[in-house]
Amino acid sequence: MLEKYRVHEVAKDLGVPTKEVVDLLGSRVPGERKSMTALNETELSVVLNHYTNQNQVENFEEYFSAGHAKKEAAAAAAKAASEQAKAQQQAAFAAQQRAARPAAPAGQPQAQQNGGRPAFNGQQGSRPQNGNRPAFNGQQGSRPQQNGNRPPFNGQQGNRPQNGNRPAFNNQNGNRPQQGQQNRPPQQNRPAPQQTQPQNGTQPAAPQKPRTRGPAMTVDTRAGSVQINIDKYNEKYDNLAQSKLGNKDTAAQKQKLNQRSAQRRQGKPAMSRKEKEDAKMRRLELERQRRKNLEITLPEEITVGDLAARLHITAAEIIKRLMGLGVMATVNETLDFDTASMVAMEIGAKVEKEVVLTIEDRLFEVEDENDEGMVERPPIVVVMGHVDHGKTSLLDAIRHANVTEGEAGGITQHIGAYQVLVNDRPITFLDTPGHAAFTSMRARGAQVTDIAVLVVAADDGIMPQTVEAINHAKAAGVSIIVAINKMDKPAANPDKVKQELTEYELVPEEWGGDVPCIPVSAKSREGISDLLEMIQLVADTSELKANPDKMAKGSVIEAKLDKGRGPVATVLVQNGTLHTGDVVIAGTAVGRVRVMLNDKGEKVDEAGPSTPVEITGLDSVPEAGDMFNAVEDERLAKELVDQRKFENKQEQFSSYEKVTLDNLFSHISQGDIKELPIIVKADVQGSVEAVKQSLEKISNDEVRVKVIHGAVGAVSESDVMLANASNAIIVGFNVRPDPVAKENAERDGVELRLYRIIYDAINDVETAMKGMLAPKYRDVDLGRAEVRQVYKITSVGTVAGCYVLEGKITRSANIRIVRDGIIVADDKLDSLKRFKDDVKEVAKGYECGMSLVKFNDIKEGDVFEAYEVEEYRE
Ligand code: GDP
């Protein structure tokens, strides 16, 4: 059943006066009708037929050609197609909306979507007069093809409807746009409404909102989404291509892009897998080539991240390669040069080590062994020997040896070193005799002397300090000349001295060896010139050379703060020439040489190689043994001094690691040491020799054990000094260090190992060299007490009346009995008393009585060392 479709509604829909419709029906169908009369099916057909026929398009071709550009038509067709789709959607929507209404009769389904009214769509083959509306949904097969084959506007007589822009045509419920009417035959005499303007609101009951025109409403979003991306891409590409090529004609490129875009649209990959792989291979090859030519410098240490940056690859790649080398590292991890260069070389880069120029490198002249400016320089001589064997007397004798009477006044200066002329060639003597000063300078890095004159009193022979001196000289690698002194004495026995020398591997020349032995007398000055000539001879064979044209460099011999002159230092120029006004840096002192005095107290302006001079002008007092350098750049020198001061402070906190048995293996593995110097001190000479030989046998492929000094007696200050200068360790058997030596060893970090059994010492050194030094027990000293009185009590035994010198003595302590630096016994306390009371401990400064478990042979002057045994691990 149709809904009621009244005459006035039909008229309105058709855009004709109601009366016209009434009249039309009156003339065709019997009956009377008014505007409110509902039309039946027949009546409606008559009306529609009539008006459709009236608006028929006679010739479609004419229509299309008539004033319409093809392009426009095509666009319109496309539009129409999309609009039709839209219309269909809307129709479907409308149908849904009307689903509740009575179903339309078969064959008129469209009536529903039109609000129950019959559509104007041409029925029964008639063409609707509103054919300018696209969506007629040609019903009943009347002309269904019109929608597909031609613009569905049915614009008559070639008048193309203007509603091409109109979005929907199915909003026919009275509010449909009226613009189509303009295309109507003029005979309809109806005023044409404004083009394209829908007559909104003319039917307030409109179920659908009228749509204003606008492409936004008809956009096919599916197509649009793809289009937008491609356009964007094309635009980018166009810009890129144009800017790159400077070519405005980009048709060809566009075509390519279109193809590409098309490919994309079709979902094809831009490149096949093979192409991709080829491209990847090419890229890798290029990278490999690039890296092959990559030359990088690497510092001593570099982080993974920095290395990656230098190699132009990712840190992940480095980490991966490190894993391959068995190194697990993170980005911030620091790699050493070897590891970093291994990775870099694996990648194909050429690696060079970064040369870090220190301020010293920039400031100081480089020494060149093949320097052509090298000329002979005077030898620098030190005098060593046992106390009272005549070192000072000999130095005096030499000093006066070739001083003529007139010069006597000029030789009173003492600046720490002096020169004498022998056959018009100077010899420089350091006038601080003894190996202590010599070694302390050496410990500071100053390798000053060329020749050591070993003074041995002919009547006394070789004494402990003579042995020390021999070993100190040997450790420093200087030539030794023996001066057998006090030859004027009746008891002089030079042969005995020579004999004893051979025991210390010093074989006199006249006995086939290489050690010159010159008999002298400092007192009578006999043999002095022979000695000097010998010094010159030895110097000549040593070929001592220096370049006087260089900036001066040398060592500080002595330094003091003079009230009037400020810091004063005696320096020994070892290379180059020092001039007044030169900027000098000595240790942490810096300044310009203001006044320069020679050993005779004369003002000089320059000092060549091997010349000692006293200088003023430094800003602080350097230390004996400090190196000094004359430099050009004062600012840089000051910078270096600041740096040195800073380093010194740091060194105080983390004192330089001396070789100990505990760290020996790490030193060996790092390749730091090739030789382990050892100083042996024992209670008897036999022990010294035994230990020396056993230790030297331990040497393996990497390290050679070398006993640089072995002697009988307590570990002395001088032993510690030698150990410090030579980076040696001290091994003692049944001996103790004297208090100063012990203190110095602790201060300087010199290892002092004390044993009671030779085997333990050998074992320790051996295992330490293999890096397997086991955790040990060690003695922890508690205190020392001196025996002041000894009481023999019949029932008790021997009781020692003691005075506690340092620390404390506890009842449970072990006691070492030390006599003249030698351990005579090792025992435990039997009793500890203050007056008559047993006590647990006695502190420093108190007297006490002690008796020992086993040892009874206590003597006055013995020292009891109380100690505990402690287990320790590294
Ligand atoms: P130093 O401790 O090695 O410096 O020895 P000295 O130079 O102080 O001399 C110690 C003592 O030996 C002094 O009393 C000197 O007079 C004496 N003396 C030094 N040389 C000789 C010498 O050649 N002959 C004699 N008879 N006595 C000497």
Side-chain angles (χ1 to χ4, degrees):
M1 285 285 287
L2 282 171
E3 267 190 1
K4 281 182 179 165
Y5 197 14
R6 297 176 198 279
V7 172
H8 74 98
E9 289 176 325
V10 175
K12 192 167 187 198
D13 282 343
L14 293 173
V16 295
T18 308
K19 192 173 180 302
E20 197 179 303
V21 177
V22 170
D23 289 349
L24 173 72
L25 284 171
S27 64
R28 306 261 180 106
V29 185
E32 219 183 282
R33 292 158 201 97
K34 291 182 180 164
S35 77
M36 290 305 286
T37 309
L39 296 178
N40 62 26
E41 206 171 330
T42 316
E43 289 165 339
L44 191 59
S45 289
V46 168
V47 174
L48 293 176
N49 237 342
H50 173 77
Y51 283 108
T52 307
N53 283 336
Q54 264 195 355
N55 292 321
Q56 195 162 8
V57 173
E58 282 174 11
N59 187 340
F60 280 105
E61 276 169 46
E62 193 185 317
Y63 166 75
F64 282 117
S65 59
H68 295 277
K70 272 192 176 172
K71 193 175 152 198
E72 212 179 332
K79 197 73 161 179
S82 104
E83 280 174 351
Q84 186 192 0
K86 187 82 187 174
Q88 281 167 354
Q89 278 178 1
Q90 287 181 342
F93 176 64
Q96 277 176 2
Q97 280 195 327
R98 293 177 189 276
R101 298 192 181 185
Q108 289 191 339
Q110 295 300 316
Q112 286 188 356
Q113 72 176 1
N114 292 331
R117 292 172 300 159
F120 330 99
N121 315 352
Q123 289 169 12
Q124 296 150 0
S126 67
R127 293 175 76 242
Q129 54 193 300
N130 60 342
N132 51 356
R133 289 179 301 158
F136 323 91
N137 305 326
Q139 287 159 20
Q140 296 158 356
S142 56
R143 290 184 67 171
Q145 73 276 25
Q146 65 182 321
N147 293 330
N149 301 339
R150 61 185 169 94
F153 329 99
N154 304 329
Q156 282 125 19
Q157 286 109 26
N159 287 333
R160 224 180 134 255
Q162 300 300 309
N163 59 345
N165 300 331
R166 286 191 304 153
F169 312 90
N170 291 338
N171 45 356
Q172 295 99 339
N173 301 331
N175 61 346
R176 70 189 158 86
Q178 299 297 310
Q179 55 270 63
Q181 287 165 10
Q182 65 178 311
N183 302 321
R184 277 199 203 139
Q187 66 264 31
Q188 288 185 14
N189 295 325
R190 286 189 299 120
Q194 280 191 342
Q195 277 190 6
T196 74
Q197 193 164 346
Q199 300 297 304
N200 300 342
T202 50
Q203 279 195 6
Q208 286 188 2
K209 258 180 142 185
R211 286 194 174 162
T212 55
R213 63 175 185 168
M217 310 303 278
T218 57
V219 166
D220 181 342
T221 51
R222 283 168 305 146
S225 63
V226 176
Q227 204 67 40
I228 286 164
N229 276 348
I230 289 173
D231 286 346
K232 210 167 151 188
Y233 180 80
N234 276 344
E235 191 183 305
K236 252 188 175 176
Y237 197 93
D238 279 353
N239 292 341
L240 197 73
Q242 274 181 8
S243 66
K244 281 229 169 184
L245 301 169
N247 182 4
K248 296 223 166 175
D249 180 19
T250 54
Q253 296 159 16
K254 270 212 166 136
Q255 196 178 345
K256 270 189 198 166
L257 283 167
N258 287 338
Q259 282 171 0
R260 230 185 249 188
S261 307
Q263 275 183 341
R264 291 209 171 182
R265 259 192 302 260
Q266 287 162 25
K268 278 189 198 168
M271 277 190 203
S272 73
R273 182 174 290 181
K274 188 171 182 310
E275 281 174 327
K276 268 188 184 166
E277 266 173 21
D278 284 351
K280 195 179 169 192
M281 292 308 289
R282 275 198 301 277
R283 191 165 49 82
L284 285 176
E285 177 60 20
L286 265 172
E287 257 173 40
R288 214 175 57 81
Q289 289 292 340
R290 196 159 50 100
R291 282 190 206 133
K292 218 173 176 182
N293 299 327
L294 190 66
E295 286 180 22
I296 59 165
T297 53
L298 291 178
E300 202 61 61
E301 286 182 337
I302 188 168
T303 63
V304 170
D306 288 347
L307 178 63
R310 289 195 192 192
L311 288 170
H312 310 304
I313 58 171
T314 61
E317 174 81 357
I318 302 270
I319 291 168
K320 209 167 81 189
R321 285 178 188 270
L322 281 171
M323 277 183 188
L325 296 170
V327 179
M328 297 294 160
T330 60
V331 172
N332 297 322
E333 208 113 323
T334 307
L335 304 174
D336 60 15
F337 174 79
D338 293 335
T339 315
S341 58
M342 217 136 83
V343 173
M345 284 192 287
E346 214 180 270
I347 281 161
K350 283 190 189 125
V351 181
E352 264 184 50
K353 194 159 187 175
E354 205 169 85
V355 181
V356 183
L357 274 185
T358 60
I359 301 181
E360 274 105 329
D361 292 334
R362 287 187 281 158
L363 210 50
F364 303 155
E365 277 183 314
V366 185
E367 280 199 37
D368 181 7
E369 280 191 3
N370 304 315
D371 188 349
E372 288 183 357
M374 294 280 247
V375 294
E376 205 176 289
R377 67 167 173 85
I380 300 166
V381 183
V382 69
V383 175
M384 299 200 270
H386 195 70
V387 68
D388 280 349
H389 277 202
K391 299 181 291 291
T392 316
S393 308
L394 188 66
L395 277 166
D396 280 345
I398 292 168
R399 188 189 272 224
H400 290 94
N402 48 9
V403 174
T404 56
E405 291 298 314
E407 284 177 329
I411 58 162
T412 51
Q413 286 294 320
H414 172 94
I415 62 165
Y418 62 85
Q419 279 190 321
V420 290
L421 283 175
V422 180
N423 301 329
D424 295 331
R425 290 162 64 201
I427 297 174
T428 306
F429 283 90
L430 298 178
D431 65 3
T432 313
H435 52 268
F438 166 80
T439 302
S440 84
M441 272 184 66
R442 203 165 69 80
R444 296 193 57 78
Q447 299 289 346
V448 182
T449 48
D450 307 304
I451 298 167
V453 171
L454 182 70
V455 181
V456 187
D459 58 341
D460 206 6
I462 293 198
M463 299 302 284
Q465 286 176 348
T466 320
V467 180
E468 279 181 16
I470 292 170
N471 292 327
H472 283 234
K474 277 187 181 172
V478 298
S479 309
I480 297 173
I481 297 173
V482 179
I484 302 175
N485 193 28
K486 305 194 183 180
M487 285 299 286
D488 58 293
K489 281 202 167 179
N493 187 349
D495 282 348
K496 184 178 163 265
V497 173
K498 286 176 191 170
Q499 178 60 48
E500 285 170 352
L501 284 172
T502 56
E503 288 168 26
Y504 299 93
E505 292 154 23
L506 295 178
V507 184
E509 272 181 344
E510 51 271 42
W511 291 4
D514 58 358
V515 180
C517 295
I518 315 293
V520 295
S521 168
K523 198 175 176 185
S524 67
R525 311 237 171 127
E526 188 191 324
I528 297 293
S529 55
D530 293 343
L531 178 66
L532 293 174
E533 274 168 23
M534 181 52 75
I535 289 169
Q536 250 172 8
L537 200 66
V538 171
D540 287 345
T541 52
S542 306
E543 292 189 12
L544 308 167
K545 290 193 168 169
N547 184 349
D549 298 329
K550 293 214 162 202
M551 304 283 287
K553 167 187 171 169
S555 301
V556 175
I557 305 290
E558 279 184 10
K560 61 181 181 200
L561 186 62
D562 186 282
K563 273 185 192 161
R565 297 184 291 163
V568 177
T570 296
V571 295
L572 183 60
V573 180
Q574 289 173 273
N575 199 19
T577 300
L578 183 64
H579 307 88
T580 317
D582 279 354
V583 176
V584 169
I585 175 168
T588 53
V590 68
R592 267 176 199 280
V593 178
R594 212 163 38 218
V595 179
M596 199 151 64
L597 300 175
N598 68 9
D599 55 340
K600 295 175 184 68
E602 298 160 347
K603 218 167 155 186
V604 288
D605 282 332
E606 56 177 49
S610 300
T611 311
V613 278
E614 193 183 67
I615 60 166
T616 57
L618 291 174
D619 64 353
S620 62
V621 182
E623 282 187 58
D626 275 344
M627 300 296 295
F628 89 85
N629 288 80
V631 295
E632 269 170 3
D633 191 334
E634 191 171 3
R635 189 192 53 81
L636 209 56
K638 283 185 175 158
E639 207 176 300
L640 177 59
V641 163
D642 288 342
Q643 188 186 307
R644 281 182 178 173
K645 281 180 183 165
F646 176 74
E647 282 169 359
N648 284 355
K649 260 190 197 156
Q650 277 203 323
E651 220 168 272
Q652 277 174 5
F653 290 111
S654 58
S655 72
Y656 166 71
E657 197 182 45
K658 284 267 158 47
V659 171
T660 65
L661 285 187
D662 298 323
N663 68 24
L664 177 63
F665 185 69
S666 74
H667 276 283
I668 294 172
S669 11
Q670 283 165 23
D672 287 352
I673 58 168
K674 293 270 169 276
E675 194 176 85
L676 172 63
I678 294 182
I679 292 166
V680 178
K681 293 306 284 278
D683 49 352
V684 290
Q685 187 60 37
S687 301
V688 176
E689 285 309 313
V691 173
K692 197 174 157 184
Q693 281 171 19
S694 313
L695 284 175
E696 288 190 342
K697 272 189 207 149
I698 304 173
S699 304
N700 61 21
D701 292 347
E702 282 137 2
V703 185
R704 196 166 75 89
V705 176
K706 189 179 177 198
V707 176
I708 57 166
H709 176 55
V712 173
V715 177
S716 68
E717 193 186 341
S718 156
D719 294 328
V720 175
M721 206 185 275
L722 177 62
N724 191 21
S726 313
N727 204 12
I729 60 174
I730 300 170
V731 172
F733 288 88
N734 292 331
V735 290
R736 305 300 303 162
D738 64 44
V740 182
K742 195 175 157 198
E743 202 182 294
N744 289 358
E746 270 165 25
R747 185 198 61 203
D748 298 336
V750 169
E751 172 146 55
L752 213 160
R753 288 237 168 191
L754 305 168
Y755 298 93
R756 265 164 264 151
I757 303 163
I758 291 179
Y759 171 79
D760 285 346
I762 313 297
N763 202 33
D764 270 11
V765 175
E766 210 164 18
T767 47
M769 277 169 67
K770 290 180 193 155
M772 301 187 304
L773 198 63
K776 286 273 177 191
Y777 292 97
R778 66 180 161 202
D779 297 350
V780 178
D781 291 339
L782 297 173
R784 290 164 70 242
E786 189 184 38
V787 178
R788 299 224 159 141
Q789 259 178 320
V790 181
Y791 310 97
K792 305 251 185 208
I793 301 167
T794 333
S795 55
V796 184
T798 312
V799 172
C802 301
Y803 175 80
V804 182
L805 297 168
E806 63 180 61
K808 61 183 180 182
I809 310 291
T810 60
R811 175 69 184 77
S812 58
N814 294 301
I815 301 286
R816 274 182 231 108
I817 298 95
V818 181
R819 194 171 293 159
D820 301 326
I822 288 169
I823 300 168
V824 292
D826 200 336
D827 209 341
K828 278 191 82 74
L829 268 184
D830 192 24
S831 70
L832 178 66
K833 288 180 191 276
R834 284 269 299 143
F835 304 111
K836 297 218 159 149
D837 304 326
D838 282 318
V839 287
K840 280 196 173 159
E841 63 175 61
V842 180
K844 176 183 173 182
Y846 290 96
E847 290 183 331
C848 60
M850 288 189 261
S851 66
L852 302 171
V853 177
K854 293 181 211 151
F855 191 73
N856 269 323
D857 185 24
I858 303 169
K859 293 208 167 94
E860 264 177 45
D862 283 354
V863 172
F864 282 11
E865 288 185 347
Y867 70 97
E868 272 173 357
V869 180
E870 177 194 84
E871 188 186 340
Y872 73 103
R873 283 186 176 272
E874 297 311 320

